[in-house]
Amino acid sequence: MGESRIMWEPTPETVQKSNMMKFINAVNANHRLNIGSYGDLYQWSVDHLSDFWGDLWDFLEIKASRKFDRVVDDATIMPGAKWFEGARLNFAENLLRFRDDRVALVFRGEAVVTRKLTYADLFERVAKLSNALREYGIKPGDRVAGFIPNMPEAIIAMLAAVSVGATWSSCSPDFGINGVFDRFGQIQPRILFIADGYYYKNKKLSSLERVAGIVEKIPSIEKVIVIPYTEAQPDIGIIPNAVAYENFVAGFSGEKIEFEQLPPDQPLYIMYSSGTTGLPKCMVQSTAGILINQMKEMRLNTDLKREDTIFYFTTCGWMMWNWLTSALSIGATLVLYDGNPFYPDASTLWKMAEEEKITVFGTSAGYLQALEASGIKPGALFDLRSIRTILSTGSPLSPEQFDFVHRDIKEDVQLASISGGSDLNGCFVGANPIGPVFRGELQARCLGMKVKAYNENGEPVIGEKGELVCEAPFPSMPIYFWNDPDGSRYQSAYFDKYPNIWCHGDYINITDTGGVVIHGRSDATLNPGGVRIGTAEIYRQIESFDEIQDSVVVGQKWKGDVRVILFVLMKDGYTLTDDLKAKIRTAIKLNASPRHIPSKIIAVEGIPYTLNMKKVEVAVRKVIHNEEITNRDALSNPEALEYYKDIPELQS
């Protein structure tokens, strides 16, 4: 049965009740078609882009004071296609369409008494802040930033800012001063929202001194609005132009919001590349494009409904936070968590899932790997009957992790590995609630995304590894990069390799089932002897060794070729012996190929990760080649890079 084994299938009743099937029925009625499967719907969506996105706008009931004149001006050019010209709308108005007593936000954390806000509460708080920002003089085009934990006030601040037409950008509070400056320093925000601190591993960490340093380096910041979190009345005197949140909104009404009606390409978010190899790219994203794409992924791919409770473990510095907030447009309940997911122990998030009756549980492959290593079996400890879908992203999910989830978390669950990026604030490959889950595969290419795998000759292939490309424009593409007046940085980021075709930088295989297997970043692809190897294929084998906690694999230039170097972090009580090295090589040879066998296996004391918990293979590769690492503040543990310097074994 191997890799193609079916792990989950929807019941006929589930299929019929799904939002996806309702959309299929609407498309069939609109165009006199007889689409019956996701595969047929996908093909229609990429063959008829204008019809698809136009039908989707109506199906999602996007709120707009003026509908578009046309869906797209030219679907053959990329970048540069114009979407939904003539429309006037507001992103926040679409996320605040519900104003009743249903719970909108649940806030949990290490040291937090659970807080709940209804949709009526949320609207009132956004209204007060929106009116205060408008009175202050915030207007369309201004940037408003957040340096803030994943708490309700982060969402309130974002919605209030975009309600008046401002552009929102955020970082999580674990960023250092330079990391924040490298991002906010480029976009020059007028307003900065902060919390006085945050909690992590049972420690109360203050943000105030760092914020004072940030404000000193970014003179555009006129006002710092401080939300009390770790202290009831924090001393904000050290921060220039600081004001307490309650004082800023005092006296303003929460009854009404004047939603600024904006063109579809009004800048909504500024997102950032990881910045591990240089100054982060500032990707500016549009109001209509992000709204329709994220609503598509919530309603159709995730099958989210009003009665659902959705959770994603994220920070405000990762695109999954922006993605999660769009669930408000469906009227679902969002669970926000701040802190370490393994404090006080590895069962923390699953206890929360039981108590809050979470139906859609979102996490990362890195978290699931660490959870399995902890020995915790959530399914045996908690009542997880409410969970119907587990989402995972951030890095490839190995087939063995599929086994772990179905064995030790929940047998009857849709495990949907999804993949996209901050660049599009969404997914190229995602969940499909009306189709099966195959072991080790992402379920399907997302509707409207003309995704292919290109081989080395630039030809589309099925069943072979290749570059993930998108052959047609999509609404959530960045409209431009900040401080890129001639568009050259935007062009080089995606279109230099294949003109007029988006090259995403992932190495994938589109399977004959219609699913996708991701083999890692193509910029981290190994090329020993000229053969392209995905790093995920090696990680998969390493995960089966109980002695190894983590690993990172890179290619080292060597004697006119590239050799594979595997670094491993051993678990406590274990050492890297010659016998273990031999077992690793044997497993890789048997289960991957002889080409995958590392030339060197070296024990290190740490594996570097970004703040969004992604391994930084490229940075490790730079260190072993004595190349400069320009932005260590993008890493959660930059000290780990020191372990890779001047390793004697790499000299022979």
Side-chain angles (χ1 to χ4, degrees):
M1 296 170 70
E3 304 294 0
S4 61
R5 177 160 62 92
I6 292 177
M7 307 291 286
W8 174 88
E9 282 187 283
T11 65
E13 182 183 18
T14 298
V15 171
Q16 289 306 314
K17 289 184 176 180
S18 69
N19 292 326
M20 187 75 74
M21 189 53 68
K22 291 175 183 175
F23 181 63
I24 288 175
N25 293 337
V27 169
N28 285 338
N30 291 344
H31 302 281
R32 297 182 180 179
L33 299 173
N34 192 30
I35 292 170
S37 69
Y38 183 90
D40 290 343
L41 178 65
Y42 171 77
Q43 195 58 51
W44 176 82
S45 76
V46 296
D47 289 344
H48 303 85
L49 285 175
S50 184
D51 287 342
F52 165 70
W53 290 106
D55 281 16
L56 188 63
W57 180 289
D58 293 337
F59 180 79
L60 297 173
E61 299 179 308
I62 287 177
K63 296 177 71 67
S65 59
R66 187 182 190 280
K67 195 176 179 180
F68 53 82
D69 297 321
R70 59 182 172 181
V71 175
V72 60
D73 65 337
D74 189 344
T76 67
I77 59 170
M78 189 166 39
K82 302 292 185 184
W83 292 90
F84 309 116
E85 287 181 298
R88 290 295 181 271
L89 73 164
N90 188 280
F91 184 82
E93 186 174 12
N94 278 274
L95 268 61
L96 292 170
R97 63 180 71 201
F98 299 100
R99 302 172 192 179
D100 53 24
D101 291 333
R102 193 173 190 88
V103 174
L105 303 176
V106 177
F107 182 39
R108 305 272 299 239
E110 286 185 18
V112 175
V113 176
T114 302
R115 292 170 54 198
K116 296 187 177 184
L117 295 180
T118 66
Y119 273 89
D121 296 332
L122 178 63
F123 183 89
E124 180 183 9
R125 295 184 188 208
V126 173
K128 286 184 177 181
L129 184 55
S130 172
N131 293 326
L133 289 172
R134 187 180 291 277
E135 179 68 20
Y136 182 81
I138 298 300
K139 60 188 184 301
D142 288 340
R143 276 80 61 208
V144 174
F147 182 60
I148 191 169
N150 182 21
M151 59 194 303
E153 285 74 15
I155 292 178
I156 291 166
M158 180 275 287
L159 291 172
V162 303
S163 73
V164 300
T167 303
W168 174 264
S169 191
S170 57
C171 291
S172 62
D174 49 1
F175 276 63
I177 291 176
N178 290 334
V180 178
F181 177 69
D182 287 346
R183 290 159 174 79
F184 295 166
Q186 293 189 71
I187 68 168
Q188 297 291 298
R190 288 184 62 191
I191 299 281
L192 178 63
F193 284 91
I194 72 160
D196 63 295
Y198 62 102
Y199 298 95
Y200 199 77
K201 291 185 178 179
N202 202 32
K203 292 181 181 177
K204 185 166 64 174
L205 303 166
S206 176
S207 298
L208 299 178
E209 286 191 14
R210 276 178 300 144
V211 171
I214 291 164
V215 174
E216 185 178 341
K217 296 185 74 168
I218 307 177
S220 68
I221 298 175
E222 302 168 10
K223 188 74 68 178
V224 179
I225 300 173
V226 184
I227 299 154
Y229 180 30
T230 62
E231 303 288 345
Q233 292 185 311
D235 182 2
I236 61 177
I238 64 170
I239 302 174
N241 305 316
V243 59
Y245 179 91
E246 289 302 322
N247 290 339
F248 186 76
V249 300
F252 288 94
S253 169
E255 293 183 4
K256 184 180 178 182
I257 301 175
E258 185 182 341
F259 292 107
E260 200 73 25
Q261 296 301 300
L262 302 161
D265 60 354
Q266 176 71 22
L268 171 72
Y269 290 139
I270 299 178
M271 308 296 291
Y272 305 97
S273 63
S274 62
T276 52
T277 56
L279 202 63
K281 297 186 287 286
C282 304
M283 302 171 286
V284 184
Q285 299 173 339
S286 71
T287 293
I290 296 301
L291 176 66
I292 194 169
N293 195 61
Q294 289 186 343
M295 285 189 70
K296 174 194 75 174
E297 293 180 8
M298 285 292 174
R299 284 254 335 247
L300 300 186
N301 297 101
T302 314
D303 198 32
L304 203 69
K305 302 179 175 75
R306 271 224 87 180
E307 58 267 27
D308 278 312
T309 297
I310 184 171
F311 162 75
Y312 219 105
F313 180 72
T314 183
T315 70
C316 296
W318 189 21
M319 61 145 287
M320 296 312 299
W321 178 84
N322 306 75
W323 187 87
L324 176 64
T325 62
S326 69
L328 292 170
S329 67
I330 312 298
T333 298
L334 283 62
V335 177
L336 314 177
Y337 181 85
D338 174 57
N340 186 321
F342 289 93
Y343 180 82
D345 57 51
S347 68
T348 293
L349 297 185
W350 303 99
K351 182 174 185 290
M352 180 182 76
E354 177 187 73
E355 293 173 350
E356 300 299 340
K357 293 183 170 50
I358 289 169
T359 57
V360 179
F361 185 102
T363 185
S364 65
Y367 170 82
L368 291 173
Q369 182 182 350
L371 182 68
E372 183 175 15
S374 75
I376 290 287
K377 301 181 188 302
L381 298 174
F382 303 103
D383 179 357
L384 302 179
R385 283 177 292 178
S386 65
I387 297 178
R388 59 175 172 80
T389 303
I390 294 177
L391 302 174
S392 173
T393 193
S395 57
L397 194 65
S398 71
E400 288 74 18
Q401 288 178 307
F402 279 71
D403 297 338
F404 163 67
V405 168
H406 283 273
R407 182 185 67 242
D408 293 335
I409 299 179
K410 191 177 184 187
E411 182 180 3
D412 183 25
V413 71
Q414 180 190 11
L415 174 56
S417 181
I418 62 177
S419 182
S422 298
D423 323 67
L424 57 151
N425 220 318
C427 300
F428 280 124
V429 188
N432 171 18
I434 65 171
V437 174
F438 289 91
R439 181 175 182 264
E441 293 186 14
L442 290 74
Q443 281 185 281
R445 290 171 284 178
C446 288
L447 300 174
M449 303 298 209
K450 199 172 184 179
V451 170
K452 301 280 182 70
Y454 275 14
N455 65 15
E456 292 180 339
N457 298 320
E459 301 163 335
V461 291
I462 299 290
E464 298 177 27
K465 298 166 193 168
E467 287 272 5
L468 189 162
V469 302
C470 191
E471 293 182 333
F474 48 93
S476 63
M477 289 172 59
I479 42 179
Y480 54 86
F481 283 2
W482 198 261
N483 291 331
D484 181 29
D486 62 357
S488 58
R489 293 185 72 201
Y490 189 4
Q491 183 72 30
S492 65
Y494 310 110
F495 302 105
D496 275 1
K497 189 164 187 175
Y498 306 110
N500 201 44
I501 291 173
W502 178 292
C503 185
H504 192 57
D506 278 342
Y507 191 38
I508 71 168
N509 181 347
I510 299 173
T511 71
D512 56 8
T513 68
V516 174
V517 176
I518 295 188
H519 297 279
R521 294 290 296 171
S522 57
D523 57 8
T525 297
L526 311 173
N527 290 279
V531 178
R532 301 173 80 196
I533 293 173
T535 55
E537 298 165 85
I538 297 177
Y539 293 137
R540 179 187 167 189
Q541 305 309 318
I542 302 307
E543 288 171 7
S544 66
F545 286 87
D546 293 335
E547 302 93 332
I548 298 173
Q549 179 175 325
D550 204 353
S551 63
V552 63
V553 61
V554 300
Q556 182 194 20
K557 298 173 186 174
W558 188 254
K559 296 183 178 180
D561 197 356
V562 173
R563 63 179 182 178
V564 178
I565 309 296
L566 172 63
F567 297 101
V568 295
L569 175 64
M570 304 302 295
K571 287 183 181 177
D572 290 343
Y574 293 98
T575 56
L576 182 62
T577 62
D578 288 341
D579 182 55
L580 181 57
K581 289 181 183 180
K583 290 179 180 178
I584 291 170
R585 288 190 168 101
T586 298
I588 291 172
K589 179 181 180 180
L590 291 175
N591 299 309
S593 81
R595 290 282 188 184
H596 290 75
I597 298 172
S599 298
K600 301 279 185 178
I601 304 176
I602 301 170
V604 289
E605 296 180 47
I607 306 293
Y609 278 83
T610 67
L611 290 163
N612 295 335
M613 289 307 294
K614 296 182 181 180
K615 291 181 188 179
V616 283
E617 296 157 327
V618 174
V620 170
R621 189 177 67 205
K622 282 179 171 287
V623 170
I624 68 171
H625 289 109
N626 297 313
E627 298 173 6
E628 184 182 5
I629 305 296
T630 55
N631 193 356
R632 292 170 179 260
D633 273 2
L635 304 181
S636 63
N637 55 340
E639 68 283 353
L641 290 177
E642 301 300 316
Y643 303 132
Y644 300 86
K645 286 185 176 179
D646 304 320
I647 297 175
E649 288 179 72
L650 295 180
Q651 310 309 314
S652 62

